[in-house]
Amino acid sequence: MTAPRTTVLECGPGQGHALRVGGLTVLERRIRELAKDGCERVVVTGLGQAKLEFPRPLPIAVEQDGVAPGDAPRQRGDVLRGIQVVDEATRRAAERKVVRGSNKSFEGPVDALLTWRLSNPITRALSYRSLRLVPNHVTLVAIALGICAGVLAATAHSYASFALAGLLLQANSVLDTVDGELARLRYQYSKLGQWLDNVSDDVLDNLFILAVGSALGGPYLVAAALGAGGRLTIAVYTYVTVYRATGTGDVFAFRWWFERGKQTADDLYDPLAITTWLRSMGRRDTYVFCWAVACVVGAPHWVPLHGAVIGGVQLSLLVLHHTIGRRK
């Protein structure tokens, strides 16, 4: 459905529109939501003598008490997720819904069941920090944790070292969710952030596989090298393919030959489809959690073996992708 070109946001009585939810005032969040839906102009009414002021430029034209077309829809400027924000209690209730909604709509199973419970409180707290604190800063901290996990795993000679390395990698995974949530919550998207986030995930995961394989030695090092090599091949192929098609580093835009009818990531990750659950086994939230658990329970050998399986499956899919794709 096409969004109306102009929408009227009615504020007052009360100052609910001026309360902050996830770091932004309710009014600014409403305006940015409308812009995301395709609205081109917003007319704000009911502010009285107060003037419209926003800390960042808005993506659409906003007028105070301007003239709107007679058929322009009128909405409340103090309502978020069906909750009219009038006081602290309603502000907190709306914020819980908004922050929970900042996750991907196509979460993996571990993200949907566990990670958000850890990431949401962090995202909520960071959202009130200065706008100079951007999601890329969170990504850099996550990268630092991932590097520490890899170094610790490579030099591990005891259960405690492997266990701590696994926990650090899981902490990296949680922050990997936080940076995306914060970007969506505060509308701080960037192409740099997209590339930094996705590429660092691939590098750190392969580093961890090789680190554990190196510490264990023997056949585990061979499995780690094969797994990391296979995964690296797939990653490079995916980035090149997606960049040629979209000019971005959005890996969720990649489609295997049997997925080409899927237009969006939400279509691709239909929670009722068996392929979604099969594919989730190769999603980062799932395998990082499995690796962390393996390290904590004293079975680090699972990491290079699992990495080799993932790499082998993906390379097999790549061969089929080219073979079958050329016939179509």
Side-chain angles (χ1 to χ4, degrees), residues 41-313:
R41 175 173 172 256
V42 171
V43 175
V44 179
T45 66
L47 293 181
Q49 299 301 313
K51 298 297 182 182
L52 282 173
E53 293 183 352
F54 302 101
R56 292 180 294 167
L58 295 170
I60 55 175
V62 179
E63 301 174 20
Q64 184 171 350
D65 298 323
V67 178
D71 60 348
R74 308 179 77 87
Q75 301 179 16
R76 294 292 307 177
D78 56 2
V79 173
L80 286 174
R81 301 294 192 274
I83 299 175
Q84 184 169 5
V85 181
V86 297
D87 53 22
E88 182 59 19
T90 52
R91 186 201 69 79
R92 287 197 301 269
E95 187 167 69
R96 283 193 292 271
K97 284 194 171 185
V98 169
V99 174
R100 181 66 184 106
S102 65
N103 61 306
K104 290 189 183 77
S105 56
F106 44 94
E107 292 179 314
V110 175
D111 280 346
L113 296 173
L114 173 65
T115 307
W116 74 270
R117 301 177 189 278
L118 304 173
S119 64
N120 272 192
I122 299 173
T123 300
R124 187 175 181 178
L126 292 179
S127 69
Y128 284 93
R129 300 295 180 181
S130 167
L131 290 174
R132 293 181 180 179
L133 173 66
V134 297
N136 288 351
H137 294 150
V138 179
T139 304
L140 291 175
V141 174
I143 291 173
L145 288 176
I147 292 174
C148 289
V151 171
L152 188 59
T155 57
H157 297 291
S158 66
Y159 160 77
S161 297
F162 278 122
L164 181 56
L167 292 175
L168 286 174
L169 187 66
Q170 182 59 38
N172 160 270
S173 181
V174 172
L175 289 186
D176 185 39
T177 299
V178 170
D179 60 13
E181 289 178 348
L182 189 62
R184 289 182 285 272
L185 185 64
R186 297 207 306 192
Y187 295 90
Q188 290 179 312
Y189 313 103
S190 72
K191 286 187 177 181
L192 173 61
Q194 185 180 67
W195 281 103
L196 184 64
D197 186 24
N198 291 333
V199 173
S200 65
D201 287 348
D202 289 320
V203 171
L204 292 173
D205 292 348
N206 288 331
L207 171 66
F208 194 77
I209 293 172
L210 289 170
V212 175
S214 176
L216 295 175
Y220 298 111
L221 178 57
V222 175
L226 293 174
R231 286 170 44 83
L232 179 61
T233 301
I234 293 298
V236 171
Y237 179 84
T238 300
Y239 287 123
V240 171
T241 302
V242 169
Y243 184 76
R244 285 176 175 174
T246 68
T248 71
D250 181 12
V251 293
F252 288 103
F254 178 78
R255 298 290 183 271
W256 294 105
W257 80 93
F258 55 86
E259 299 170 335
R260 285 176 177 166
K262 307 294 186 179
Q263 298 299 316
T264 68
D266 287 318
D267 295 332
L268 187 63
Y269 292 99
D270 177 3
L272 299 180
I274 185 63
T275 52
T276 296
W277 293 98
L278 290 175
R279 184 165 179 164
S280 69
M281 296 300 100
R283 290 191 62 167
R284 188 170 195 263
D285 64 305
T286 305
Y287 64 71
V288 164
F289 180 73
C290 290
W291 294 353
V293 170
C295 289
V296 169
V297 301
H301 57 276
W302 168 259
V303 176
L305 294 178
H306 186 248
V309 170
I310 294 176
V313 169

Side-chain angles (χ1 to χ4, degrees), residues 14-66:
Q15 294 296 310
H17 65 275
L19 295 178
R20 297 174 71 197
V21 169
L24 305 180
T25 66
V26 175
L27 180 58
E28 179 179 353
R29 188 169 294 284
R30 290 289 292 112
I31 293 171
R32 292 185 180 277
E33 286 177 349
L34 288 170
K36 185 178 179 181
D37 290 339
C39 183
E40 299 175 3
R41 175 173 172 256
V42 171
V43 175
V44 179
T45 66
L47 293 181
Q49 299 301 313
K51 298 297 182 182
L52 282 173
E53 293 183 352
F54 302 101
R56 292 180 294 167
L58 295 170
I60 55 175
V62 179
E63 301 174 20
Q64 184 171 350
D65 298 323

